[in-house]
Amino acid sequence: MTIAKHMNNMRKKLNQVREQIVQAAMAYGRDPESILLLAVSKKKPASDIRLAWELGQRDFGENYLQEALQKIEELKDLDIQWHFIGAIQSNKTRHIAEEFQWAHCIDRAKIAKRLSAQRPANMAPLNVCIQVNIDDEPSKAGIDLAELAELALEIHELPGIHLRGLMAIPAPQATFELQRVAFAKLSAALDSLRQRGIDCDTLSMGMTHDMEAAIAEGSTLVRIGTAIFGERD
Ligand SMILES: *Cc1c(COP(=O)(O)O)cnc(C)c1O
């Protein structure tokens, strides 16, 4: 495909996703401006990110640290907000603390403390979300709902991070109504943290196949890959 054609193609897809967000927001009485579109660019080349940036996209999500660091280096002339949306092992925290603006998959105090300690003093605190295992799936990442409040209370005052809210990847569901159930649980969990005095504002929920249900339940940040960049290998 020529670059012009590739650009047109991406413009069409990006506009379609933007339009879907506006439509879903309006259908559920939400302000479209309250929903941030995170473009998930894992396994896609830096050149695709640059095209999306030229079309006005500023927030990008990456899952694999080495791949992400290469793209960050290659695209450092652009004003991009980088979000780390993969699992975080202890040996990755330094790079994440130094190179990203957000981390979405915190499910242990130990990782949060390392990120806080390693965040450079001249940068704003790293925005983080706690990942919740919202459907109680065995062997899935995320903290159980029953343990969420304790973790949130433990990490929300760490100086190098800013606890922004919650993130989840629900189990696949066959219907829109069933998709809404898991998102509603995450939304209620955020409300209950707020009632405990933890000031947070972000629900990182909704992907290509369940974005509308997530918006219906209060998502403030949708993580969209396939619908923008096409299928991944
Ligand atoms: C890959 C990924 C996405 C994007 O998924 P799509 O179905 O391609 O929209 C969103 N969130 C996380 C955590 C991911 O790993």
Side-chain angles (χ1 to χ4, degrees):
M1 223 187 304
T2 65
I3 289 182
K5 218 163 168 189
H6 196 48
M7 181 80 153
N8 271 338
N9 196 22
M10 189 170 302
R11 178 182 290 114
K12 217 186 294 172
K13 287 182 172 156
L14 199 50
N15 282 342
Q16 203 164 30
V17 172
R18 287 168 174 159
E19 184 58 26
Q20 282 168 350
I21 292 172
V22 171
Q23 292 301 329
M26 298 206 309
Y28 295 95
R30 308 266 326 273
D31 175 2
E33 297 289 320
S34 68
I35 302 159
L36 179 70
L37 172 57
L38 177 63
V40 176
S41 43
K42 62 174 174 233
K43 299 191 177 174
K44 297 294 174 180
S47 55
D48 279 5
I49 298 175
R50 192 175 286 277
L51 279 185
W53 182 89
E54 286 170 13
L55 297 167
Q57 180 63 29
R58 290 293 177 270
D59 289 82
F60 292 88
E62 290 282 339
N63 295 56
Y64 309 107
L65 187 59
Q66 287 315 316
E67 178 189 334
L69 292 175
Q70 277 179 17
K71 293 177 190 172
I72 290 171
E73 174 64 22
E74 202 171 328
L75 299 167
K76 64 183 175 210
D77 57 314
L78 306 182
D79 58 336
I80 286 177
Q81 297 280 308
W82 292 103
H83 298 237
F84 194 76
I85 61 170
I88 306 178
Q89 286 92 40
S90 295
N91 63 355
K92 297 188 193 167
T93 52
R94 180 170 298 281
H95 282 306
I96 293 169
E98 291 175 352
E99 303 293 341
F100 287 79
Q101 282 73 47
W102 284 76
H104 290 240
C105 301
I106 308 300
D107 59 4
R108 286 178 287 159
K110 179 185 166 194
I111 296 295
K113 287 175 184 167
R114 287 177 66 94
L115 289 170
S116 175
Q118 292 170 341
R119 184 70 167 172
N122 63 344
M123 293 174 84
L126 178 69
N127 297 296
V128 307
C129 291
I130 295 177
Q131 183 175 3
V132 179
N133 184 356
I134 199 71
D135 293 310
D136 273 325
E137 295 174 275
S139 83
K140 186 133 168 193
I143 191 162
D144 291 347
L145 265 185
E147 295 163 21
L148 171 62
E150 192 184 338
L151 177 62
L153 286 165
E154 189 175 355
I155 71 172
H156 88 284
E157 291 194 67
L158 291 171
I161 64 171
H162 180 185
L163 177 59
R164 294 295 301 271
L166 304 177
M167 177 271 201
I169 308 172
Q173 297 293 347
T175 71
F176 180 74
E177 289 308 321
L178 287 172
Q179 287 178 348
R180 285 185 67 164
V181 172
F183 293 133
K185 278 196 281 184
L186 197 70
S187 188
L190 188 78
D191 287 342
S192 94
L193 291 186
R194 286 207 191 109
Q195 279 161 18
R196 285 168 173 261
I198 299 174
D199 178 24
C200 43
D201 59 10
T202 299
L203 279 172
S204 168
M205 58 187 200
M207 302 168 46
T208 293
H209 65 283
D210 57 11
M211 179 178 92
E212 187 181 353
I215 290 173
E217 295 298 341
S219 174
T220 66
L221 188 158
V222 289
R223 307 179 311 267
I224 307 299
T226 310
I228 298 172
F229 298 108
E231 295 288 339
R232 291 176 293 272
D233 296 334

Coordinates of all heavy atoms in Angstrom, one line a residue, residues 42-104:
K42 N 0.6 -2.1 20.1 CA 1.5 -3.2 20.2 C 1.6 -4.0 18.9 O 0.6 -4.2 18.2 CB 1.1 -4.2 21.3 CG -0.3 -4.8 21.1 CD -0.7 -5.8 22.1 CE -2.1 -6.3 22.0 NZ -2.9 -6.1 23.2
K43 N 2.8 -4.5 18.6 CA 3.1 -5.2 17.3 C 2.9 -4.5 16.0 O 2.9 -5.0 15.0 CB 2.2 -6.5 17.3 CG 2.5 -7.4 18.5 CD 1.9 -8.8 18.3 CE 2.2 -9.7 19.4 NZ 1.5 -11.0 19.3
K44 N 2.7 -3.2 16.2 CA 2.5 -2.3 15.0 C 3.8 -1.4 14.9 O 4.3 -1.0 15.9 CB 1.3 -1.5 15.0 CG 0.0 -2.3 15.1 CD -0.2 -3.0 13.8 CE -1.4 -4.0 13.8 NZ -1.6 -4.7 12.6
P45 N 4.2 -1.1 13.7 CA 5.4 -0.3 13.5 C 5.3 1.1 14.0 O 4.2 1.7 14.0 CB 5.7 -0.4 12.0 CG 4.4 -0.7 11.4 CD 3.6 -1.5 12.4
A46 N 6.4 1.7 14.3 CA 6.5 3.1 14.7 C 5.9 4.0 13.7 O 5.3 5.0 14.0 CB 7.9 3.5 15.1
S47 N 6.0 3.6 12.4 CA 5.5 4.4 11.3 C 4.0 4.6 11.4 O 3.4 5.6 11.0 CB 5.9 3.9 10.0 OG 5.5 2.5 9.8
D48 N 3.3 3.5 11.9 CA 1.8 3.6 12.1 C 1.5 4.6 13.2 O 0.5 5.3 13.1 CB 1.3 2.2 12.4 CG 1.1 1.3 11.2 OD1 1.4 1.7 10.1 OD2 0.5 0.2 11.4
I49 N 2.3 4.5 14.2 CA 2.0 5.5 15.3 C 2.2 6.9 14.9 O 1.4 7.8 15.2 CB 3.0 5.2 16.5 CG1 2.7 3.8 17.0 CG2 2.9 6.2 17.6 CD1 3.7 3.3 18.1
R50 N 3.2 7.1 14.0 CA 3.5 8.5 13.5 C 2.3 8.9 12.7 O 1.8 10.1 12.8 CB 4.8 8.5 12.7 CG 5.2 9.9 12.3 CD 6.6 9.9 11.6 NE 7.7 9.6 12.5 CZ 8.3 10.5 13.3 NH1 7.9 11.7 13.3 NH2 9.3 10.1 14.1
L51 N 1.7 8.0 11.9 CA 0.5 8.4 11.0 C -0.6 8.8 11.9 O -1.3 9.8 11.7 CB 0.1 7.2 10.2 CG 0.9 7.0 8.9 CD1 0.2 5.8 8.1 CD2 0.9 8.2 8.0
A52 N -0.9 7.9 13.0 CA -2.0 8.2 13.9 C -1.8 9.6 14.6 O -2.7 10.3 14.8 CB -2.2 7.1 14.9
W53 N -0.5 9.8 14.9 CA -0.2 11.1 15.6 C -0.5 12.3 14.6 O -1.1 13.3 15.0 CB 1.3 11.1 16.0 CG 1.7 12.4 16.7 CD1 1.7 12.6 18.0 CD2 2.2 13.6 16.1 NE1 2.1 13.9 18.3 CE2 2.4 14.5 17.1 CE3 2.4 14.0 14.8 CZ2 2.9 15.8 16.9 CZ3 2.9 15.3 14.5 CH2 3.1 16.2 15.6
E54 N -0.2 12.1 13.4 CA -0.5 13.2 12.4 C -2.0 13.4 12.3 O -2.4 14.5 11.9 CB 0.2 12.8 11.0 CG 1.7 13.0 11.0 CD 2.4 12.5 9.8 OE1 1.7 12.2 8.8 OE2 3.6 12.4 9.8
L55 N -2.7 12.4 12.6 CA -4.2 12.5 12.6 C -4.8 12.9 13.9 O -6.0 12.8 14.2 CB -4.8 11.1 12.1 CG -4.4 10.7 10.7 CD1 -4.8 9.2 10.5 CD2 -5.1 11.6 9.7
G56 N -3.9 13.4 14.8 CA -4.3 14.0 16.0 C -4.3 13.1 17.3 O -4.6 13.5 18.4
Q57 N -4.0 11.8 17.1 CA -4.0 10.9 18.2 C -2.7 11.2 19.1 O -1.6 11.4 18.5 CB -4.0 9.5 17.7 CG -3.9 8.4 18.8 CD -5.2 8.4 19.7 OE1 -6.3 8.8 19.3 NE2 -5.0 8.0 20.9
R58 N -2.9 11.3 20.4 CA -1.7 11.6 21.3 C -1.4 10.5 22.3 O -0.3 10.4 22.8 CB -2.0 12.9 22.0 CG -1.9 14.1 21.1 CD -0.5 14.3 20.5 NE -0.5 15.5 19.6 CZ -0.7 15.4 18.3 NH1 -0.9 14.2 17.7 NH2 -0.6 16.4 17.5
D59 N -2.4 9.7 22.7 CA -2.1 8.6 23.7 C -2.0 7.3 23.0 O -2.9 6.9 22.3 CB -3.3 8.6 24.7 CG -3.3 9.8 25.6 OD1 -3.8 10.9 25.1 OD2 -2.7 9.7 26.7
F60 N -0.9 6.6 23.3 CA -0.6 5.3 22.8 C -0.3 4.3 23.9 O 0.4 4.6 24.8 CB 0.5 5.4 21.7 CG 0.2 6.2 20.5 CD1 0.4 7.5 20.5 CD2 -0.4 5.5 19.4 CE1 0.0 8.3 19.4 CE2 -0.8 6.3 18.3 CZ -0.6 7.6 18.3
G61 N -0.8 3.0 23.7 CA -0.5 2.0 24.7 C 0.3 0.9 24.1 O 0.1 0.4 23.0
E62 N 1.3 0.4 24.9 CA 2.2 -0.7 24.5 C 2.2 -1.7 25.6 O 2.1 -1.4 26.8 CB 3.6 -0.1 24.3 CG 3.7 0.8 23.0 CD 3.8 0.0 21.7 OE1 4.1 -1.2 21.8 OE2 3.5 0.5 20.6
N63 N 2.4 -3.0 25.2 CA 2.4 -4.1 26.2 C 3.7 -4.7 26.4 O 3.9 -5.4 27.4 CB 1.5 -5.3 25.6 CG 0.1 -4.9 25.5 OD1 -0.3 -4.0 24.8 ND2 -0.8 -5.7 26.1
Y64 N 4.6 -4.6 25.5 CA 5.9 -5.3 25.6 C 7.0 -4.2 25.7 O 7.2 -3.4 24.8 CB 6.1 -6.2 24.4 CG 4.9 -7.0 24.1 CD1 4.1 -6.8 23.0 CD2 4.7 -8.1 25.0 CE1 2.9 -7.6 22.8 CE2 3.5 -8.9 24.8 CZ 2.7 -8.6 23.7 OH 1.6 -9.4 23.5
L65 N 7.8 -4.3 26.8 CA 8.7 -3.2 27.1 C 9.8 -3.0 26.1 O 10.0 -1.8 25.7 CB 9.3 -3.5 28.5 CG 10.2 -2.3 29.0 CD1 9.3 -1.0 29.2 CD2 10.8 -2.7 30.4
Q66 N 10.5 -4.0 25.6 CA 11.6 -3.8 24.7 C 11.1 -3.1 23.4 O 11.6 -2.2 22.9 CB 12.3 -5.1 24.4 CG 13.2 -5.6 25.5 CD 14.0 -4.5 26.2 OE1 14.6 -3.7 25.5 NE2 14.1 -4.5 27.5
E67 N 9.9 -3.7 22.9 CA 9.3 -3.1 21.7 C 8.9 -1.6 22.0 O 9.2 -0.8 21.1 CB 8.1 -4.0 21.4 CG 7.3 -3.5 20.2 CD 5.9 -4.2 20.1 OE1 5.8 -5.3 20.5 OE2 5.0 -3.6 19.5
A68 N 8.4 -1.4 23.1 CA 7.9 0.0 23.4 C 9.1 0.9 23.5 O 9.1 2.0 23.0 CB 7.2 0.0 24.8
L69 N 10.2 0.5 24.2 CA 11.3 1.4 24.3 C 11.9 1.8 23.0 O 12.3 3.0 22.8 CB 12.4 0.8 25.2 CG 12.0 0.6 26.7 CD1 13.1 -0.2 27.4 CD2 11.7 1.9 27.4
Q70 N 11.9 0.9 22.1 CA 12.4 1.2 20.7 C 11.6 2.2 20.0 O 12.1 3.2 19.4 CB 12.4 -0.1 19.8 CG 13.7 -0.9 20.0 CD 13.6 -2.2 19.1 OE1 12.9 -2.3 18.2 NE2 14.4 -3.1 19.5
K71 N 10.3 2.1 20.1 CA 9.3 3.0 19.5 C 9.4 4.4 20.2 O 9.4 5.4 19.5 CB 7.9 2.5 19.6 CG 7.7 1.3 18.7 CD 6.2 0.8 18.9 CE 6.0 -0.5 18.3 NZ 4.7 -1.1 18.6
I72 N 9.6 4.4 21.5 CA 9.7 5.7 22.2 C 10.9 6.4 21.7 O 10.9 7.7 21.5 CB 9.7 5.4 23.8 CG1 8.3 4.9 24.2 CG2 10.1 6.7 24.5 CD1 8.3 4.5 25.7
E73 N 12.0 5.7 21.6 CA 13.2 6.3 21.1 C 13.0 6.9 19.7 O 13.4 8.0 19.4 CB 14.4 5.3 21.1 CG 15.7 5.7 20.5 CD 16.3 6.9 21.3 OE1 16.0 7.1 22.5 OE2 17.1 7.6 20.6
E74 N 12.4 6.0 18.8 CA 12.3 6.4 17.4 C 11.3 7.6 17.3 O 11.4 8.4 16.3 CB 11.7 5.2 16.7 CG 11.9 5.2 15.2 CD 11.6 3.9 14.5 OE1 11.7 2.8 15.2 OE2 11.1 3.9 13.4
L75 N 10.4 7.8 18.2 CA 9.3 8.8 18.1 C 9.5 9.9 19.1 O 8.6 10.7 19.4 CB 8.0 8.2 18.2 CG 7.6 7.1 17.2 CD1 6.4 6.3 17.6 CD2 7.4 7.7 15.8
K76 N 10.7 10.1 19.6 CA 10.9 11.1 20.7 C 10.7 12.5 20.2 O 10.6 13.4 21.0 CB 12.2 10.9 21.4 CG 13.4 11.1 20.6 CD 14.7 10.8 21.4 CE 15.9 11.0 20.5 NZ 17.0 10.1 20.9
D77 N 10.6 12.8 18.9 CA 10.3 14.1 18.4 C 8.8 14.4 18.5 O 8.4 15.6 18.3 CB 10.7 14.3 17.0 CG 10.1 13.2 16.0 OD1 10.1 12.0 16.4 OD2 9.6 13.6 15.0
L78 N 8.0 13.5 18.9 CA 6.5 13.7 19.0 C 6.1 13.8 20.4 O 6.6 13.2 21.3 CB 5.8 12.5 18.3 CG 6.2 12.2 16.9 CD1 5.3 11.0 16.4 CD2 6.1 13.4 16.0
D79 N 5.0 14.6 20.6 CA 4.5 14.8 22.0 C 3.5 13.7 22.3 O 2.3 13.9 22.2 CB 3.9 16.2 22.2 CG 2.8 16.5 21.2 OD1 2.7 15.9 20.1 OD2 1.9 17.3 21.5
I80 N 4.0 12.5 22.6 CA 3.1 11.4 22.8 C 3.0 11.1 24.3 O 4.0 11.2 25.0 CB 3.7 10.2 22.1 CG1 3.4 10.3 20.6 CG2 3.0 8.8 22.6 CD1 4.0 9.2 19.7
Q81 N 1.8 10.7 24.8 CA 1.6 10.2 26.1 C 1.7 8.7 26.0 O 0.8 8.0 25.4 CB 0.2 10.6 26.7 CG 0.0 12.1 26.8 CD 0.7 12.6 28.1 OE1 0.5 12.1 29.2 NE2 1.5 13.6 27.9
W82 N 2.7 8.1 26.6 CA 2.9 6.6 26.5 C 2.3 5.9 27.7 O 2.5 6.3 28.9 CB 4.4 6.3 26.4 CG 5.0 6.7 25.2 CD1 5.8 7.8 25.0 CD2 4.9 6.1 23.9 NE1 6.2 7.9 23.6 CE2 5.7 6.8 23.0 CE3 4.2 4.9 23.4 CZ2 5.8 6.5 21.6 CZ3 4.3 4.6 22.1 CH2 5.1 5.3 21.2
H83 N 1.5 4.9 27.4 CA 0.8 4.1 28.5 C 1.3 2.7 28.4 O 1.3 2.0 27.4 CB -0.7 4.1 28.2 CG -1.4 5.4 28.3 ND1 -2.5 5.7 29.1 CD2 -1.2 6.5 27.5 CE1 -2.9 6.9 28.9 NE2 -2.2 7.4 27.9
F84 N 1.8 2.2 29.6 CA 2.2 0.8 29.6 C 1.0 -0.1 30.1 O 0.5 0.1 31.1 CB 3.4 0.5 30.5 CG 4.0 -0.8 30.3 CD1 4.8 -1.0 29.2 CD2 3.8 -1.9 31.2 CE1 5.4 -2.3 28.9 CE2 4.3 -3.1 30.9 CZ 5.1 -3.3 29.8
I85 N 0.6 -1.0 29.2 CA -0.6 -1.7 29.5 C -0.4 -3.2 29.6 O -1.3 -4.0 29.5 CB -1.8 -1.4 28.4 CG1 -1.3 -1.8 27.0 CG2 -2.2 0.0 28.5 CD1 -2.5 -1.8 26.0
G86 N 0.9 -3.6 29.7 CA 1.2 -5.0 29.9 C 1.5 -5.3 31.3 O 1.5 -4.5 32.2
A87 N 1.8 -6.6 31.6 CA 2.1 -7.1 32.9 C 3.5 -6.5 33.3 O 4.3 -6.3 32.4 CB 2.2 -8.6 32.9
I88 N 3.6 -6.2 34.6 CA 4.9 -5.5 35.0 C 5.6 -6.4 36.0 O 5.1 -6.7 37.1 CB 4.6 -4.2 35.7 CG1 3.8 -3.3 34.8 CG2 5.9 -3.5 36.1 CD1 3.4 -1.9 35.4
Q89 N 6.8 -6.9 35.6 CA 7.6 -7.6 36.6 C 8.6 -6.6 37.2 O 8.8 -5.5 36.6 CB 8.4 -8.7 35.8 CG 7.6 -9.9 35.4 CD 7.1 -9.8 34.0 OE1 7.7 -9.3 33.1 NE2 5.8 -10.2 33.9
S90 N 9.2 -7.0 38.3 CA 10.0 -6.1 39.1 C 11.2 -5.5 38.2 O 11.5 -4.4 38.3 CB 10.6 -6.8 40.3 OG 9.6 -7.1 41.2
N91 N 11.7 -6.4 37.4 CA 12.9 -5.9 36.6 C 12.5 -4.9 35.5 O 13.4 -4.4 34.8 CB 13.7 -7.1 36.0 CG 12.9 -7.9 35.0 OD1 11.7 -7.7 34.8 ND2 13.5 -8.9 34.4
K92 N 11.2 -4.6 35.3 CA 10.8 -3.7 34.3 C 10.5 -2.3 34.8 O 10.2 -1.4 34.1 CB 9.6 -4.2 33.5 CG 9.8 -5.5 32.8 CD 8.5 -5.7 31.9 CE 8.5 -7.1 31.4 NZ 7.1 -7.4 30.9
T93 N 10.4 -2.2 36.2 CA 9.8 -1.0 36.7 C 10.7 0.3 36.4 O 10.1 1.3 36.2 CB 9.6 -1.1 38.2 OG1 10.9 -1.5 38.8 CG2 8.5 -2.1 38.6
R94 N 12.0 0.1 36.4 CA 12.8 1.3 36.2 C 12.5 2.0 34.8 O 12.2 3.2 34.8 CB 14.3 1.1 36.3 CG 15.1 2.3 36.1 CD 16.6 2.1 36.5 NE 16.8 1.8 37.9 CZ 16.7 2.6 38.9 NH1 16.5 3.9 38.7 NH2 16.9 2.2 40.1
H95 N 12.5 1.2 33.8 CA 12.2 1.8 32.5 C 10.8 2.4 32.4 O 10.6 3.4 31.8 CB 12.4 0.7 31.4 CG 13.8 0.4 31.0 ND1 14.7 1.4 30.7 CD2 14.5 -0.7 31.0 CE1 15.9 0.9 30.4 NE2 15.8 -0.4 30.6
I96 N 9.9 1.7 33.0 CA 8.5 2.2 33.0 C 8.4 3.5 33.7 O 7.8 4.5 33.3 CB 7.5 1.1 33.5 CG1 7.5 -0.1 32.5 CG2 6.1 1.7 33.7 CD1 6.8 -1.3 33.0
A97 N 9.1 3.5 34.9 CA 9.0 4.8 35.7 C 9.7 5.9 34.9 O 9.3 7.1 35.1 CB 9.7 4.6 37.0
E98 N 10.7 5.6 34.1 CA 11.4 6.7 33.4 C 10.8 7.1 32.1 O 11.1 8.3 31.7 CB 12.9 6.3 33.3 CG 13.6 6.2 34.6 CD 15.1 5.6 34.4 OE1 15.4 5.2 33.3 OE2 15.8 5.7 35.5
E99 N 10.1 6.2 31.4 CA 9.8 6.5 30.0 C 8.3 6.7 29.8 O 7.9 7.1 28.7 CB 10.2 5.4 29.1 CG 11.7 5.1 29.2 CD 12.6 6.3 28.6 OE1 12.0 7.1 27.9 OE2 13.8 6.3 29.0
F100 N 7.4 6.3 30.7 CA 6.0 6.3 30.5 C 5.3 7.4 31.3 O 5.8 7.9 32.3 CB 5.4 4.9 30.8 CG 5.7 3.9 29.8 CD1 7.0 3.3 29.8 CD2 4.8 3.5 28.8 CE1 7.3 2.3 28.8 CE2 5.1 2.6 27.8 CZ 6.4 2.0 27.8
Q101 N 4.1 7.8 30.9 CA 3.2 8.7 31.7 C 2.2 7.9 32.5 O 1.6 8.4 33.4 CB 2.5 9.7 30.7 CG 3.4 10.8 30.3 CD 4.4 10.4 29.3 OE1 4.1 9.7 28.3 NE2 5.7 10.8 29.5
W102 N 1.8 6.7 32.0 CA 0.8 5.9 32.6 C 1.3 4.4 32.7 O 1.9 3.9 31.8 CB -0.5 5.8 31.8 CG -1.3 7.1 31.9 CD1 -1.1 8.3 31.2 CD2 -2.6 7.2 32.5 NE1 -2.1 9.1 31.5 CE2 -3.1 8.5 32.3 CE3 -3.4 6.4 33.3 CZ2 -4.3 9.0 32.8 CZ3 -4.6 6.8 33.8 CH2 -5.0 8.1 33.6
A103 N 0.8 3.7 33.8 CA 0.9 2.2 33.8 C -0.5 1.7 34.3 O -1.0 2.2 35.3 CB 2.0 1.8 34.8
H104 N -1.1 0.8 33.5 CA -2.5 0.4 33.8 C -2.6 -0.9 34.5 O -3.8 -1.3 34.9 CB -3.2 0.2 32.4 CG -3.5 1.5 31.7 ND1 -4.7 1.9 31.4 CD2 -2.6 2.5 31.3 CE1 -4.7 3.1 30.8 NE2 -3.4 3.5 30.7

